[in-house]
Amino acid sequence: MKLVVFREENKERVGIKTEEGIYPIEKSLKEIISNGLNNGNDIENLIDLTSGVLSEEEIEFLPCVPPGKKIICVGLNYRRHAEEAGMPIPEVPVLFNKFENALTAQDKEVTLPNVAKQYDYEAELGIVIGKQAKQISRENALDYVFGYCAVNDISARDLQLRTPQWLLGKSLDGFCPVGPYVVTADEVGNPNELGIRCFLNGELRQNSNTSDMIFKVDEIVSFISTYITLEPGDLILTGTPEGVIAGYPEEQREWLKSGDQVKVEIDKIGQLTNYFI
């Protein structure tokens, strides 16, 4: 099941994406995730028949995760990306975070402020937690996942590398586009067998598979839950594959600029598009 969050008449709504279009439903995304609706059994009871079927062209997308939740990121989690960065393969997951101010949605413009110059894209698989997870085993970790989404972990490399802490270069306003859908775990299947791609102005820049992850999805969820209690709606970014701008030879790097378009595409999940100004 693909769930969409959108704005209608200044009200946030949730819809189910189908081949016919988007059917609005009468519950919030927070309620749906908390109730563990991930098998589609109650869809017919949730559909708001008075709203009709909507097309994606007529809605304003909002972030496909609930507000006020944690955003935890894993760095250097693809082998070939670590190699292109010239950094050793991590022995444990490298964690950092973003904040709610960074969230934005499908088709939204992202402002590149004049506080930095080295702006970069990062296509990533996002994990949306479905129920409270504390010190859970790797064997059971996927039972705590509600679904998955496409994410662009936009990074200001000159800010990121100014200090040993990456946060500043990762958490500027709008630097975490998510969407357009959160796709329930049952529809995705194995999250570590998904093609993941990134296009800059139509040019394929990243072309990999989540199988190249150093730490797999179940291992990531279990590891984080050992130290931090995960709650329904929390978002985990799982790292980016090779092909980022920072991985190019220095003389070939052309950082993101106003007018650029970036698309993140993940098998079974969808395509996330944003524009830079």
Side-chain angles (χ1 to χ4, degrees), residues 1-248:
M1 180 169 60
K2 290 183 172 71
L3 295 172
V4 180
V5 184
F6 62 98
R7 193 190 318 276
E8 184 179 56
E9 298 179 350
N10 294 320
K11 180 181 178 182
E12 180 178 307
R13 301 205 66 186
V14 178
I16 298 171
K17 164 69 173 175
T18 70
E19 293 182 357
E20 293 79 26
I22 296 170
Y23 287 92
I25 56 179
E26 297 180 338
K27 290 184 178 293
S28 70
L29 185 61
K30 180 179 178 181
E31 290 175 310
I32 293 170
I33 293 175
S34 297
N35 292 336
L37 181 64
N38 61 358
N39 294 315
N41 295 328
D42 300 323
I43 290 179
E44 291 184 0
N45 296 328
L46 294 177
I47 291 176
D48 180 5
L49 297 176
T50 64
S51 296
V53 182
L54 305 174
S55 68
E56 293 192 14
E57 290 72 25
E58 63 183 308
I59 67 170
E60 177 189 356
F61 285 95
L62 296 177
C64 65
V65 293
K69 299 297 182 178
K70 295 188 285 296
I71 305 173
I72 303 173
C73 312
V74 184
L76 292 173
N77 194 35
Y78 282 71
R79 291 186 181 277
R80 291 192 289 272
H81 175 53
E83 291 167 358
E84 75 173 352
M87 302 184 73
I89 302 298
E91 296 183 2
V92 296
V94 177
L95 301 184
F96 62 95
N97 64 296
K98 290 177 178 271
F99 300 107
E100 190 174 0
N101 69 293
L103 287 175
T104 190
Q106 166 79 351
D107 291 334
K108 296 294 187 180
E109 293 179 333
V110 177
T111 299
L112 300 175
N114 59 9
V115 297
K117 296 180 179 179
Q118 299 177 358
Y119 292 112
D120 208 345
Y121 51 76
E122 292 192 15
E124 306 208 7
L125 173 69
I127 306 168
V128 180
I129 297 298
K131 54 185 178 181
Q132 187 182 85
K134 182 177 178 64
Q135 297 183 342
I136 61 173
S137 68
R138 181 175 179 180
E139 292 72 22
N140 297 325
L142 294 185
D143 295 337
Y144 292 79
V145 174
F146 175 80
Y148 303 92
C149 59
V151 185
N152 189 351
D153 175 19
I154 304 169
S155 305
R157 301 299 188 189
D158 39 357
L159 296 183
Q160 176 186 350
L161 302 177
R162 181 179 293 180
T163 69
Q165 301 294 327
W166 294 355
L167 185 147
L168 187 60
K170 296 285 190 173
S171 291
L172 299 181
D173 294 345
F175 272 39
C176 189
V178 297
Y181 325 110
V182 55
V183 184
T184 51
D186 60 304
E187 187 164 322
V188 173
N190 185 351
N192 290 110
E193 292 181 350
L194 302 174
I196 179 169
R197 293 164 292 277
C198 181
F199 300 84
L200 173 60
N201 300 323
E203 177 189 351
L204 180 62
R205 288 295 191 92
Q206 294 181 278
N207 186 15
S208 186
N209 193 285
T210 55
S211 61
D212 191 45
M213 283 185 187
I214 298 165
F215 305 102
K216 307 304 184 185
V217 169
D218 54 355
E219 191 171 3
I220 291 169
V221 174
S222 175
F223 177 83
I224 295 175
S225 79
T226 301
Y227 306 96
I228 303 168
T229 300
L230 295 169
E231 301 289 347
D234 284 350
L235 175 64
I236 301 173
L237 278 58
T238 56
T240 197
E242 79 280 4
V244 297
I245 298 172
Y248 282 68

